[in-house]
Amino acid sequence: MMGALRTLHAWAGVALAVLAVVFGLTGSLLVVEDDWIRATVPAARAEVDLDPVRLGAALNRLETAEPELTSVVLPGGAVGAHRLYLADEGFGYADADGAVVDRWRGPARAETWIFDLHHELLAGHTGKLVAGGAGLALVLMILTGLIVWIPTWRASGWRVWPRSGARRELIGSHRNLGLIFAIPLIVFSLTGAAIVFHGTTQALLDGAPKPPTPVVGRGDVDWVRALTAAQARFPEATLRMASRPAAPGKPATIRLRQPGEWHPNGRTTATIDPATSEVVATSDANALPPGIRAYNAFYPLHASSIGGWLYDWVTALSGLAMAGLGVIGAWAFLVKPRQRSRRSALIR
């Protein structure tokens, strides 16, 4: 049984090695995404102003200037610019007053290219499914690796860089690296898969039907009025995101982050009637069922949105460890046949 597990672990590891390197390196790079934005977008270095009136005025200006605008992540955290989401995979940045300072489509900027590679392997929905499946497979790889390690636990240590290219050294480094980072890698792999297969995950955690969408009228949202009304409903919350109506007769949505929420953009929502710009329904993230609150924790755990600089370091190092496990494991697998061939040649 143990021999079969070793064989399965080795062959599956080789098959997943490239994906482990891709997910690990891109995940580490995404930890510093906000720093990259601040370094390359001057408007992002502005001081964050959370006044609903100023934010609303900026959104009104953006809505007029950008007909393809679908949603906006408001300034917050380390980024003082608005992040724009446009139709047909369009993106952009705008300053605090709503003036667009950059606009592009698809993975034209480094941060969107890295995110797309990490999230969907630059292959759209199909790539996203592959990424989710790989996340589950990586969890199984880690668990089988732990089982295989049990009989050899006395050989464990802290060395993660092999002394040489000998297979024994490579396997020792692979084993030690996997043991040190086993728990965070399981967390990141599981949460990544849960985010990809979000429908199934939510159904498993909470099967309650969603409340019906409120009936609303048609019109252009006055974002000053809408944001002010949403802030009044949740005075302690931070305004984080605004989404335009998906179609005529559909509501607009404002997301807020309340104290105690982990998600960087919050999961508390205010539903807005475009005809009146008033709040017609709310959802308090802190009062949601336990299953949904657990699901809402997956993204911040995966994206290093909690825990400050310490968790950022854990996330970045775990990504490098995942890449290292893929490289060292595949290297050890490929070294073995060459050593056998060399011994066979000496015997002859």
Side-chain angles (χ1 to χ4, degrees):
M1 181 65 178
M2 196 63 71
L5 278 178
R6 287 194 184 95
T7 301
L8 174 64
H9 184 84
W11 281 95
V14 171
L16 289 169
V18 173
L19 291 178
V21 172
V22 169
F23 294 141
L25 293 181
T26 54
S28 294
L29 288 173
L30 287 171
V31 172
V32 297
E33 179 183 7
D34 286 354
D35 301 290
W36 168 255
I37 294 172
R38 284 176 57 85
T40 58
V41 181
R45 301 172 209 148
E47 185 177 348
V48 174
D49 186 348
L50 301 177
D51 176 38
V53 175
R54 185 176 184 184
L55 291 174
L59 290 180
N60 287 338
R61 180 178 181 182
L62 283 169
E63 203 166 39
T64 301
E66 295 290 343
E68 294 184 336
L69 187 69
T70 60
S71 61
V72 179
V73 176
L74 304 172
V79 178
H82 295 82
R83 307 187 204 199
L84 315 182
Y85 291 84
L86 312 173
D88 299 323
E89 296 187 356
F91 304 93
Y93 294 118
D95 65 19
D97 295 319
V100 177
V101 297
D102 198 1
R103 186 192 296 104
W104 70 97
R105 292 201 179 278
R109 275 185 59 97
E111 61 268 34
T112 50
W113 186 86
I114 293 170
F115 179 83
D116 283 355
L117 181 60
H118 183 82
H119 188 57
E120 54 190 34
L121 300 170
L122 303 178
H125 182 67
T126 300
K128 185 187 297 185
L129 296 179
V130 172
L136 294 176
L138 287 169
V139 173
L140 293 177
M141 285 295 301
I142 297 167
L143 293 177
T144 56
L146 291 173
I147 294 172
V148 169
W149 160 78
I150 292 173
T152 62
W153 67 272
R154 293 181 183 276
S156 305
W158 294 99
R159 179 179 291 277
V160 297
W161 191 261
R163 294 189 184 93
S164 68
R167 184 170 183 271
R168 181 176 180 178
E169 290 292 328
L170 295 172
I171 290 177
S173 294
H174 182 82
R175 176 195 60 233
N176 295 341
L177 194 59
L179 285 172
I180 294 169
F181 288 95
I183 293 177
L185 288 179
I186 288 175
V187 170
F188 292 127
S189 299
L190 268 180
T191 54
I195 292 167
V196 170
F197 303 118
H198 57 89
T200 301
T201 306
Q202 288 177 322
L204 289 172
L205 291 174
D206 187 279
K210 294 183 179 180
T213 302
V215 177
V216 297
R218 301 188 180 197
D220 296 324
V221 178
D222 178 352
W223 288 105
V224 172
R225 187 173 182 178
L227 291 177
T228 302
Q231 186 75 83
R233 293 294 185 98
F234 300 98
E236 301 300 319
T238 302
L239 295 163
R240 289 301 304 128
M241 192 170 179
S243 299
R244 297 180 66 187
K250 298 292 185 180
T253 304
I254 295 171
R255 281 173 57 175
L256 307 93
R257 183 183 185 184
Q258 295 192 83
E261 287 192 62
W262 286 4
H263 198 290
N265 293 328
R267 286 294 185 180
T268 296
T269 61
T271 303
I272 305 298
D273 184 344
T276 63
S277 300
E278 293 292 340
V279 176
V280 293
T282 61
S283 175
D284 184 343
N286 292 328
L288 292 172
I292 296 300
R293 279 185 285 163
Y295 173 79
N296 289 343
F298 290 162
Y299 178 83
L301 283 171
H302 188 81
S304 188
S305 300
I306 60 170
W309 64 268
L310 180 60
Y311 195 72
D312 285 346
W313 273 103
V314 170
T315 305
L317 291 175
S318 297
L320 294 176
M322 179 179 286
L325 285 168
V327 171
I328 296 173
W331 188 2
F333 183 88
L334 296 173
V335 163
K336 185 176 180 180
R338 288 203 298 270
Q339 290 182 337
R340 283 180 173 174
S341 298
R342 194 177 298 118
R343 286 198 298 268
S344 298
L346 291 174
I347 292 173
R348 291 195 192 97

